[in-house]
Amino acid sequence: MVERANKKDFSQLKQMWKTVFCDTDLYIDLFFSELACPENTYVFRKKGEICAMAYALPAPLIFSDGTEIKARYICGIATKTECRNKGMASTLLRKILGDAKAAGVDVCYLIPAEKSLFSYYERFGFTEKSFMCIRTLLPAAGAFKESDKPGISRLAAAYNALNYPFKPKRTKEDFERILKVYEVYCKGNDYAVFEQREDELYILEQTADFSAEMQNIAHLRHLSAVFLLSYAAEEDGNEPFASLCRLNPNVKIPQNGYIQLMLN
């Protein structure tokens, strides 16, 4: 049966998250201490055992004209290996969407873990996609310039100035989490958020072109490549990144909005 989790479940859910998604302990601890709560954590329980989980986080979207809509970010959908192919994740997802619609939520969105899952989520109404362009850069030597000290107000001002059709709303706490988990390179009023994964550097978000700086950092760390992830205005040649489900038919979703959640 589907029910909301309780705090006693969180240690088991954290271990399940670690097993399925292989995120860092820092990321997982922040998620469960600051984002997950019994009200937004759904579990499928059978004979007292948690078999599947999913999370529906309040995550409003802001449009380029300043309009804000009520939205949920659905994440952490996972089923224990021995419980898979029994419809548990589907049952969780239908429950989340039903509750969201009853609460007056306009849109739900998620980021599928792999490309093959986009078609799976379409059957639940996640038919509108956001696209991401991925560019590969090679490490390159250059005159290294030290980063300015990143601050929350600086990040917030640069992020709010991004002129995208729509983007997730971020709070002070969101920027604090980003600074805890990721590396941030700042110059003046702009920034780049990046992380190192084994011998590769990933630029997750930037408000100006810091490609040369990132290539230089990769060179100094003896990494093999730099990957730049950026909002894509056109579908052609770009990979789908996120899927949206419109619950309110009166809300118009601009095509190809920007969704890079990190730790929102």
Side-chain angles (χ1 to χ4, degrees):
M1 61 179 288
V2 175
E3 60 186 33
R4 305 293 175 94
N6 57 64
K7 280 287 187 180
K8 293 180 181 178
D9 295 323
F10 274 27
S11 58
Q12 183 180 349
L13 293 173
K14 287 172 72 173
Q15 185 55 52
M16 189 173 173
W17 188 295
K18 179 77 172 178
T19 301
V20 174
F21 301 113
C22 302
D23 284 319
T24 65
D25 290 336
L26 174 60
Y27 186 104
I28 296 170
D29 288 343
L30 275 173
F31 181 87
F32 281 92
S33 65
E34 299 189 20
L35 293 174
C37 64
E39 290 75 23
N40 61 35
T41 303
Y42 290 73
V43 296
F44 192 106
R45 209 184 297 267
K46 186 175 182 180
K47 296 181 180 180
E49 177 190 1
I50 294 177
C51 300
M53 64 179 185
Y55 305 80
L57 309 180
L61 293 175
I62 302 176
F63 295 95
S64 56
D65 63 359
T67 303
E68 181 179 323
I69 63 170
K70 195 173 181 181
R72 292 283 186 274
Y73 170 47
I74 303 174
C75 63
I77 304 171
T79 306
K80 287 183 176 178
T81 305
E82 63 272 21
C83 301
R84 290 175 182 170
N85 300 315
K86 297 179 181 178
M88 294 180 183
S90 299
T91 303
L92 282 174
L93 195 51
R94 290 191 182 96
K95 173 63 174 172
I96 288 173
L97 292 173
D99 287 353
K101 189 170 185 178
V105 173
D106 299 303
V107 172
C108 286
Y109 54 97
L110 47 75
I111 300 175
E114 54 188 61
K115 191 175 180 179
S116 62
L117 290 173
F118 280 90
S119 58
Y120 168 76
Y121 289 121
E122 282 180 359
R123 71 181 72 168
F124 301 97
F126 290 87
T127 56
E128 300 180 62
K129 296 179 177 62
S130 175
F131 289 83
M132 188 71 75
C133 175
I134 302 175
R135 288 174 51 208
T136 304
L137 308 172
L138 295 177
F144 183 70
K145 299 177 182 178
E146 291 289 343
S147 169
D148 295 339
K149 185 176 180 181
I152 293 171
S153 59
R154 175 179 287 172
L155 298 186
Y159 179 76
N160 292 335
L162 289 173
N163 187 27
Y164 292 132
F166 68 83
K167 60 189 176 186
K169 181 179 180 180
R170 285 188 185 156
T171 64
K172 175 185 175 183
E173 290 73 25
D174 293 324
F175 289 109
E176 287 176 345
R177 284 188 286 270
I178 288 171
L179 288 173
K180 287 179 183 177
V181 175
Y182 301 99
E183 295 184 76
V184 178
Y185 183 92
C186 272
K187 272 298 168 189
N189 295 322
D190 290 298
Y191 68 84
V193 179
F194 64 100
E195 68 174 341
Q196 182 176 330
R197 303 175 189 171
E198 297 182 351
D199 71 335
E200 299 170 340
L201 198 70
Y202 286 79
I203 308 171
L204 304 177
E205 179 175 284
Q206 59 179 358
T207 59
D209 187 2
F210 287 112
S211 300
E213 287 82 356
M214 297 297 105
Q215 288 174 282
N216 188 223
I217 290 173
H219 170 76
L220 294 172
R221 296 183 184 182
H222 306 288
L223 305 182
S224 64
V226 178
F227 294 95
L228 170 59
L229 282 62
S230 61
Y231 155 76
E234 300 293 337
E235 176 178 347
D236 293 342
N238 296 306
E239 294 290 328
F241 182 72
S243 286
L244 295 90
C245 175
R246 191 197 314 242
L247 299 178
N248 180 355
N250 298 318
V251 170
K252 185 178 180 181
I253 306 293
Q255 188 176 11
N256 299 328
Y258 175 83
I259 295 181
Q260 175 54 282
L261 284 155
M262 295 184 285
L263 267 169
N264 271 53

